Amino acid sequence: MMYAIRDAKIRRITEVNGAPCAEVEVYPAVEGESALLAYLTPSSPLGGYELVKIVRSNASTDVDWFDNSMHDAFVDATDEAFENDVQSTAEEDRDAFKQQLLSTGQLYEQLNHRLSEGPQYF
C-alpha cells in the first residue's frame, strides 16, 4: 500500500498491551482517502518506534464531531494495509510507512518528548 501522508498529529498517549503508545492521526495527501490512526510504541534501540497497528477512520467530522469509537467508524486496517505483493513484502511496506510517518513534520520529536514523560502521563 502506498499512502501519501500530508500531515500527522499525536491525538493522545494511551496503552497497548501494557506499553505506552502514541495514537497518531494521519492525514492523507490524496483527497478522498480516509484518515488513519497509527499506533506507535517505543522500541529498542533507543529512539526507535514500532508500528503496533493502523486503524482506518471512516468517521465523518460532520456527524461524529465527538470521538465515537463504539460503532464501525474505526476499523482495524493493519492486515489489509500491508500485504505481500510483487514489489515488496508486507513487512517492507509496513517499515516504509513507519519511516514516512516518522519523518512527517515534527512528529518524531513530539513522540520523543511525549513518550519520554513516562507512566505519570497516564
Side-chain angles (χ1 to χ4, degrees):
M1 157 192 130
M2 271 317 293
Y3 185 89
I5 299 171
R6 176 172 49 89
D7 198 10
K9 292 185 172 44
I10 298 173
R11 284 169 52 125
R12 64 189 176 125
I13 304 298
T14 183
E15 266 191 38
V16 172
N17 300 331
C21 185
E23 181 182 86
V24 178
E25 187 147 15
V26 183
Y27 304 97
V30 178
E31 195 64 41
E33 281 194 9
S34 47
L36 300 176
L37 296 178
Y39 293 82
L40 294 161
T41 189
S43 66
S44 44
L46 197 62
Y49 289 94
E50 181 186 340
L51 183 60
V52 181
K53 68 176 177 175
I54 291 179
V55 177
R56 186 178 307 279
S57 172
N58 296 320
S60 158
T61 46
D62 300 339
V63 180
D64 293 331
W65 51 270
F66 56 95
D67 262 342
N68 179 1
S69 58
M70 296 307 289
H71 55 76
D72 65 354
F74 297 94
V75 180
D76 190 325
T78 311
D79 292 337
E80 73 182 44
F82 307 110
E83 295 174 337
N84 294 328
D85 60 27
V86 180
Q87 288 84 28
S88 58
T89 65
E91 197 58 40
E92 288 168 338
D93 278 359
R94 189 181 186 124
D95 201 54
F97 176 80
K98 181 182 73 172
Q99 295 308 327
Q100 182 189 4
L101 181 59
L102 290 173
S103 65
T104 301
Q106 301 294 307
L107 184 66
Y108 184 73
E109 292 80 0
Q110 291 166 356
L111 283 170
N112 289 342
H113 176 74
R114 294 280 294 274
L115 289 169
S116 69
E117 292 171 4
Q120 77 272 12
Y121 183 84
F122 295 109

